[in-house]
């Protein structure tokens, strides 16, 4: 949690979906600083509500539950759905059907801003020696990346058609620390994740904007020039972990697709069980 | 049907899906010139096979049927699925689930080339005073356009991951003649449709390529510069219909989204029943 | 005059300014085919009205005269103002003050479409071995080109702010025939001028669009890719005049700015008397 | 005033126009560090000259006064003219006629470098979720922005034609501190303004260059990539004011053009009294 | 030979190098129409001079011979040097050392225009499903393509430094007819070759320009947008040969680098004997 | 030498060519931190080997010596060859013939990564008011820059054809301190040079990448956006030297090509003795 909040904007009621997932758990305590009430949801029971919280159990593929979930909400931080490469069925349910349910609920309930956890895997089939910006065509590296590309296009359509604003965060690798040399490029610290989500929530005008979520890493494959209006400025870096990571992983197998492409191991995950 | 075939390349067995749909019916008799056996399929019974044809009834959302359908096929012209703006449920079934089934079947059966009927509605929320090329970000104008954007991304992924080649045809308005002033820009004659499909089938190397499907119209919103390797050269034009169309439709309501955006009336279709 | 009109769209009342100027005289008889009433104006008396005409004497720098002139007009073809490099004073009066008066009158009178005779001299300081498109920064070659750049920016502002549409025609060299080797690139035949003006008047949606006005010349410095939505397709070419022009002008002085830059002799005209 | 001068280059005689205006008053004491003699001018009497100063009263629309003003001057910092949205008449006088007078005087007197206070309002009709660079087409948000676009084109022409160098500063919001959330993006501190003007004066070769004038703000709409040769590096930021500004202005009215477009309230100022 | 000459410009003395090579033999009789005296050269004896010819034997790697060869010449069509993939030694001699000798001779003798036979193999490692323009980075496919990239850079340097103009022709496949499906894209008819060379010789201002040499083929990988100022307009096409070529070569081996990359078989030629 | 090594990656055997040259001497002691054995070479005798070193005398134009030199080497830092503008003969020998020998040796010996000392003089004929990125066409400023452009193209070809990776460093001015105002833009400190070389050696995947070698200077002409995957982040700056440099060199002669173009004095060096 940041010592100083990243913004003085406060929302009456903020919704965090996927609050029981990896990043949902990181964000749950942090987002309280930016709202009066934090509504949290997950497909599994989240237990008791903390002070200032409302706890919902809701499944993305259930349109009625989503409609109820978005009632009287000012903005959504959508971390729910599938977040790894998996067989098509759960991805379809959580990330395709679930996204349509979420945006239809937002449209019907008048929610005006969604921060959407997209993924760098939307462009995972670019090479690691290419620098990609947010306007280049998608090259998803599997069903998961494909479903996130779908989510971005959906968000674009709800903006053009219905005026609902979205910031799509193409999150890199948000962990306590980078685990390998690929993550020296993709690392997003938890504090920078908070900065990013808050910037996306509070930037005055965003339409549908796309931004890569990464810390201020020395090595990067992603160019956020077209997203500077969001006002995200990372303050951490993978560089403090570089000596240890490099010492552990001296060798790169340059014939391995996981080493060649930005998506890493995702590019060779087996699509079906 | 063209007097002279558009190519001397012949496929042993070609599959045409959606053969009972509007454009499927146009292409069915035309594609025979380019293959020994034309397999045609539709979700409804297509009746008896003509000479040189094999007739299948198959539903895109049925993975097993798709697997059987793609057996021993050299290339696919995929005109199946939903082709108009509709409620989400049928689009999900035909254009999302169906596309995954088709490409999984192609992967398992070793089919190497698919010509995919995408749509100009992938970019329907660009304005009619903008010229769009095939590398600019999607701006779908509804669930239908969104599903076609998904199809293109899927095709890109199957190329990057599995080496299956696709040409995504962003078809404009393929009718006997243009019906209104918008279609003076979007018109694709049936003969040019044949030229386009054949070029997409026979171009030696395509990876995943995207091309707008339009005749040689005086007015256009689409720039195919990046698709010149496909070798499509239209020979018809909407211009012969211009006097009649303009005489019929003198007035443009410039406040109407259907007049402002490239997607025309699709941009204001109601998403849900 | 074209044998077949370039469009079947008819305007109740069209205004042609500068009707006594070089291109005004060319367009005056041609525009009648596209309107019920052709209002023509010039700063000097134009004599008697032909059938279907209304004749006005009006000075661009007189705001009241402009207001009267635009009364009950559906669209304007603005050929008025200074059309050659001259001292600053007349350019200021006709092309700066006059343009503001014209657009203020259009705003107050509710005129929705203006076709503005801009000029290739807006970009006259690009070299003759560069290909320029309509989005590259202006490089005017003198006060005249500068005033036309102002006019384009004004038109952009009236579109963004007030919804008045303009097509800015960066006219090349519109004469009976090309006079020198530079004009082999810049030539715009009178018939193509008519096609261009009519396309600009009748294209359904233009916002503020810029297009270079040239025939289908073999040599060109200008790329109209971004203006294809206007539907202008030239049918003439300078090429039929090429042998005679080249025979007359064998030598190019490659040290002469008039030979180096697209603006030709304009780039070295003396700005002040 | 900077503790350490931003450059060790000294000019024998520097001219500051508009020395009595808001930014003129800020720059007047600061520019002394970079010249032997600072000539200051304004349309109103500026009172007594300080040490090392020469004080002139001169009106931009008076060509003779401008000619006298530029006599024996090495470089000009042109802060004069109208700096807010106003009716057309004063803008025409100060920013159109006045700019021509200034550059004609520079040409006749052999002045080789002008730093021109242009404005972000040259591109004020881009949206606040777009990132604009210095090569994109102008979208002025009113007469004021339009007059500054004219000034930039004029500067370009005097460079191409006469070799007079200009840096056009598209100044954001240069105040003691940012007043609202829009200014968190557009803020330019007075110290950074000094850095910017000095960089523009002292960069060895500038031709005609355009640069946005902003501090190192976390949120920005402007990309100065193409202006890095000028050597301007801001050292202040609006971010220290962010908590207070956001606390004061919690709400954004996203239907308000002043919130949507970069020009802020300028985009809806009434053009005529 | 064209029935009508491609230009009415005549040079007093034109030099054709490599006149005994494949394309040299094609051009030798054709270039006479454009000059009073055609000087032809080759490293081997060319036999007797035809009427209006001067015959020289000269080796590109001999600086003195080159100096003599360029004496009193108005322009050069440089078809000499190695024109296929070969071991490094002859390419070094003919295309590296020889090019320096040619341009040094041009500088010393005051020759102002060179038409340089570069090659599509400068960019032969782009894929056949990419469309390449003349500003994209080189990707040579072997020593031959590398030597032509060197030649283009040399020409650029002699233009920037010494004002010698060059048009670099990236010639595709100039044969009597296309031999395989790759050449349907790369074919340049002999008549179009003549049109191209003459346009490059006679365009008024070219600086250093690069243009791909191809006929008006339906399939193309190359975009000459930036070379339109040269005024080359092909009038032939590979399309008349398409049925025969496709009938002969039904199958493409899509694993073969010669099928994947634009350079065709050059991309897998062995570099060293 | 850096207090903390720039990377924890260690190579068993690293080759440094040109170890007796200016930058070779700077790098020789620094590179030891990144390898078990540092092989150093020069055309002249380098004297005794230091601990952990192997010393070779080898001439780039001798293919056999190069073959021996690259035996059992993991990566090469190629600082050898000519590094200033000189007559053509030594440049041909060292930078053309020598580069071919080096890469052929790498191919035959299985060396997988080369860090190549290219030069900013590859683009030295861009103006000092232009910002150049690594994808823009070369504009070499003399034979030296031309030879480095050749080297980059060669490296690109060995990557595309043989899978040998190269980072081409377009080194600015790497000296103990900047000597003049041009070097305020081009300065590369020795510590930053070490950071750059080490990043280029250790970045996991580079294909053929190009990067400008400069410190974090306030003024720059070069945009490394496309090279961010290399992970080079300068930590020094020319700015600490700015006051002294500017005080020494108050005047710029703006008519002098050495002041106008990025290559500085190289652009007017005489090519031949």
């Amino acid at each position: 949690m940041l010592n100083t909040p990243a913004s003085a904007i406060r929302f009456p009621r903020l919704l965090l979906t996927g609050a029981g997932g990896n990043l949902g758990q990181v964000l749950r305590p942090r987002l309280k600083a930016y709202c009066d009430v934090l509504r949290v949801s997950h497909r599994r029971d989240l237990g008791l509500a903390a002070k200032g919280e409302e706890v919902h159990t809701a499944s993305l593929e259930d349109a009625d539950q989503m409609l109820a979930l978005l009632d009287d909400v000012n903005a959504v931080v959508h971390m729910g759905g599938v977040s790894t490469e998996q067989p098509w069925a759960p991805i379809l349910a959580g990330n395709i059907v679930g996204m349509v349910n979420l945006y239809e609920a937002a449209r019907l309930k008048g929610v005006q801003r969604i921060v959407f956890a997209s993924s760098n895997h939307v462009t995972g089939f670019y090479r690691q020696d290419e620098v990609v910006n947010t306007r280049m065509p998608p090259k998803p590296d599997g069903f998961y990346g494909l479903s996130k590309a779908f989510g971005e296009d959906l968000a674009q359509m709800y903006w053009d058609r219905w005026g609902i604003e979205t910031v799509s965060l193409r999150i890199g690798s948000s962990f306590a620390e980078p685990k390998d040399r690929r993550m020296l490029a993709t690392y997003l610290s938890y504090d920078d994740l908070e900065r990013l989500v808050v910037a996306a929530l509070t930037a005055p005008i965003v339409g549908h904007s796309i931004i890569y979520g990464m810390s201020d890493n020395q090595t990067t494959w992603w160019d956020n020039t077209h997203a500077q209006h969001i006002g995200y400025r990372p303050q951490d870096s993978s560089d403090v972990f570089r000596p240890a990571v490099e010492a552990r992983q001296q060798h790169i197998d340059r014939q391995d697709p996981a080493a060649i492409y930005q998506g890493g191991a995702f590019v060779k995950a087996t699509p079906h069980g």
Side-chain angles (χ1 to χ4, degrees), chain A:
Chain A
M1 238 159 307
L2 301 177
N3 292 329
T4 313
S7 170
I9 307 293
R10 274 183 83 86
F11 294 83
R13 180 176 282 104
L14 211 54
L15 167 65
L16 171 67
T17 70
N22 285 342
L23 298 186
Q25 293 180 60
V26 170
L27 288 170
R28 184 174 171 179
R30 293 167 179 260
L31 290 180
K32 281 187 192 159
Y34 309 98
C35 55
D36 298 334
V37 177
L38 181 68
R39 182 175 294 171
V40 295
S41 72
H42 203 78
R43 64 178 57 235
R44 295 183 309 272
D45 183 13
L46 287 166
L48 292 181
K51 180 150 175 285
E53 279 190 351
E54 296 170 349
V55 170
H56 284 233
T57 302
S59 188
L60 285 160
E61 53 269 47
D62 185 320
D64 290 336
Q65 288 183 359
M66 292 312 289
L67 205 57
L69 184 64
L70 267 75
D71 192 52
D72 200 25
V73 153
N74 303 98
V76 179
V77 177
H78 178 49
M79 309 302 286
V82 171
S83 64
T84 55
E85 185 62 6
Q86 296 192 13
W88 170 239
I91 287 173
L92 173 67
N95 294 10
I96 304 278
V97 173
M99 276 294 278
V100 172
N101 288 340
L102 176 72
Y103 275 77
E104 276 296 286
R107 178 173 76 84
L108 294 167
K109 293 294 185 182
V111 176
Q112 289 298 308
R113 173 80 56 99
I114 297 175
V115 175
F116 165 49
S118 182
S119 167
N120 75 87
H121 294 285
V122 167
T123 52
F125 254 120
Y126 283 95
R127 288 176 51 91
Q128 293 193 12
D129 53 14
E130 292 177 288
V131 175
V132 182
N133 68 44
T134 54
R135 293 198 185 156
M136 290 165 70
K139 284 174 81 73
D141 56 24
F143 285 141
Y144 169 63
L146 183 63
S147 72
K148 291 300 185 182
F150 172 86
E152 293 184 0
D153 289 340
L154 180 80
Q156 180 68 42
M157 192 264 278
Y158 273 81
W159 162 243
D160 285 325
R161 181 72 196 275
W162 305 108
I164 298 174
E165 292 193 302
T166 297
V167 180
S168 291
L169 313 179
R170 290 188 181 164
I171 295 173
S173 304
S174 197
F175 294 104
E177 54 182 81
K179 298 174 180 173
D180 56 20
R181 285 171 69 184
R182 174 180 171 272
M183 290 193 191
L184 293 178
T186 62
Y187 177 65
L188 175 68
S189 77
Y190 293 149
D191 280 358
D192 280 342
L193 173 66
E194 179 179 341
R195 288 181 188 102
L196 176 62
V197 168
V198 172
L201 278 171
T202 61
I205 296 283
V206 298
H208 173 233
S209 297
I210 299 173
I211 185 169
Y212 283 95
M214 54 183 165
S215 285
D216 182 29
N217 307 322
Q218 181 174 307
T219 301
T220 179
W221 308 320
W222 306 324
D223 174 4
N224 272 334
T225 297
H226 300 298
Q228 292 175 321
H229 60 283
I230 294 172
Y232 166 60
R233 187 169 285 185
Q235 297 183 20
D236 297 325
S237 169
S238 68
D239 297 350
V240 294
F241 305 102
R242 181 176 287 264
V245 168
E246 288 186 339
R248 274 204 313 270
Q249 188 193 4
Q250 286 279 327
H251 183 69
I252 300 286
D253 174 4
R254 293 192 177 84
Q255 310 308 316
D256 181 1
I260 295 171
Y261 297 104
Q262 297 187 4
F266 277 55
V267 307
K268 54 181 191 178
T270 313
H272 277 289

